[in-house]
């Protein structure tokens, strides 16, 4: 196992940070590393907004479920899928032709681009001694978050990312993942293989969460996922995305 793989295998979410600020040079290095992620047709359809202003972080924290680590982290990155630059390019060079920035395919491309870039950023940050945690809560009140960040049409916040130096007194354990054979299928999908892996993973997660909580929680992963899937969540997303110009075709 080389250094890169060892770092990836030791990833953990960090929700408690020291007061040390993230140096501008390091932030720029992290984003530069993010820019080297693969991008479909080199569209680079994403934007990262670094929020350091305490008042703005406080506002975003309130909109994202009142998670205190958004307020406490030195830098809160909001990763956005961004098709506005592509629309502007089309208007500049092909104003006499219809453009399809609102097509579902371009929405997928931009969302994937943002995810790929952000994961590069996460690995780069951890290599510099920083810690991160992803924040899907920016989609709780996505319209208000977009307004607070002055996002134009064809741009939406995919998720946030807290970045900072981890507090050594608040270390988190590494959460076990699904067995490899559950997610690695050879030459076609095997529902039976996937099912066996979930059964094994249920046993693993019961032990993990029971040990972590002193026996207060014992629900297996599949039960947690069932609870998640049967509870309505962010059903406003479809209408919001359409209002911003996405998924029109």
């Amino acid at each position: 196992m080389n250094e890169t793989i060892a770092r990836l295998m030791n990833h953990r979410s960090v929700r408690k940070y020291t007061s040390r600020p993230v140096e501008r040079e390091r932030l720029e290095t992290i984003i530069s590393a993010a820019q080297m992620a693969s991008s479909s047709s080199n569209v680079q359809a994403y934007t990262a907004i670094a929020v350091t202003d305490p008042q703005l972080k406080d506002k975003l924290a309130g909109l994202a479920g009142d998670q205190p680590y958004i307020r406490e982290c030195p830098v809160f990155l909001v990763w956005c899928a961004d098709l506005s630059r592509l629309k502007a390019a089309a208007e500049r060079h092909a104003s006499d032709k219809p453009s399809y920035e609102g097509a579902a395919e371009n929405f997928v491309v931009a969302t994937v681009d943002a995810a790929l870039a952000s994961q590069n950023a996460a690995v780069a940050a951890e290599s510099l001694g920083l810690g991160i945690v992803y924040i899907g809560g920016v989609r709780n009140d996505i319209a208000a978050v977009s307004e607070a960040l002055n996002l134009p049409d064809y741009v939406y916040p995919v998720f946030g990312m807290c970045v900072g130096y981890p507090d050594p007194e608040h270390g988190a354990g590494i959460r076990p993942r699904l067995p490899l054979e559950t997610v690695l299928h050879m030459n076609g999908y095997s529902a039976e293989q996937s099912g066996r892996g979930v059964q094994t993973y249920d046993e693993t997660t019961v032990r993990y969460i029971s040990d972590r909580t002193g026996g207060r929680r014992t629900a297996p992963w599949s039960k947690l996922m069932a609870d998640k899937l049967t509870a309505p969540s962010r059903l406003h997303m479809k209408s919001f995305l359409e209002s911003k110009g996405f998924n029109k075709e």
Side-chain angles (χ1 to χ4, degrees):
M1 185 179 295
N2 61 36
E3 181 181 351
T4 300
I5 293 175
R7 189 175 305 283
L8 291 169
M9 298 295 283
N10 281 284
H11 166 74
R12 64 198 70 198
S13 295
V14 174
R15 294 180 173 85
K16 192 70 176 177
Y17 305 93
T18 69
S19 59
R20 178 180 172 182
V22 175
E23 299 85 348
R24 178 62 181 261
E25 181 182 3
R26 291 201 166 190
L27 175 61
E28 292 179 353
T29 297
I30 289 166
I31 300 303
S32 293
Q35 288 188 268
M36 297 309 295
S38 297
S39 171
S40 178
S41 300
N42 199 35
V43 296
Q44 303 174 73
Y46 60 89
T47 292
I49 299 177
V51 180
T52 58
D53 177 78
Q55 289 185 325
L56 183 53
K57 279 195 298 177
D58 182 68
K59 182 173 185 176
L60 294 175
L63 295 171
D66 252 352
Q67 300 177 75
Y69 23 98
I70 297 176
R71 296 184 176 93
E72 296 167 0
C73 68
V75 177
F76 185 56
L77 290 175
V78 182
W79 292 93
C80 302
D82 185 350
L83 292 170
S84 65
R85 282 194 295 267
L86 274 68
K87 178 176 172 57
E91 290 172 347
R92 179 181 178 188
H93 295 285
S95 59
D96 58 330
K97 298 179 180 179
S99 60
Y100 297 92
E101 60 278 345
E105 167 64 9
N106 286 327
F107 166 78
V108 172
V109 165
T111 303
V112 170
D113 265 15
L116 293 174
S118 72
Q119 189 59 19
N120 260 28
V123 175
E126 290 175 350
S127 77
L128 295 172
L130 295 150
I132 68 98
V133 63
Y134 284 97
I135 305 293
V138 298
R139 301 190 302 276
N140 288 358
D141 192 342
I142 194 167
V145 169
S146 297
E147 183 179 358
L149 297 175
N150 195 34
L151 302 186
D153 286 348
Y154 304 104
V155 179
Y156 87 95
V158 185
F159 41 70
M161 176 191 283
C162 295
V163 182
Y165 289 95
D167 185 336
E169 296 183 4
H170 293 82
I174 299 174
R175 189 184 298 271
R177 296 312 204 242
L178 285 160
L180 180 64
E181 59 270 22
T182 314
V183 298
L184 176 61
H185 296 212
M186 302 300 293
N187 302 311
Y189 190 94
S190 170
E192 180 182 359
Q193 180 179 325
S194 185
R196 287 197 307 268
V198 169
Q199 184 175 353
T200 299
Y201 191 53
D202 274 351
E203 297 169 0
T204 300
T205 53
V206 165
R207 291 192 298 270
Y208 170 79
I209 198 66
S210 180
D211 289 344
R212 187 173 175 180
T213 65
R216 293 189 302 276
R217 292 167 53 196
T218 58
W221 178 82
S222 61
K223 174 62 167 62
L224 297 175
M225 295 305 102
D227 291 344
K228 180 176 179 60
L229 197 61
T230 54
S233 176
R234 300 172 186 148
L235 299 183
H236 55 267
M237 284 295 298
K238 183 175 184 293
S239 59
F240 169 79
L241 289 170
E242 289 175 349
S243 75
K244 297 290 281 185
F246 292 97
N247 296 337
K248 292 294 180 67
E249 293 90 12

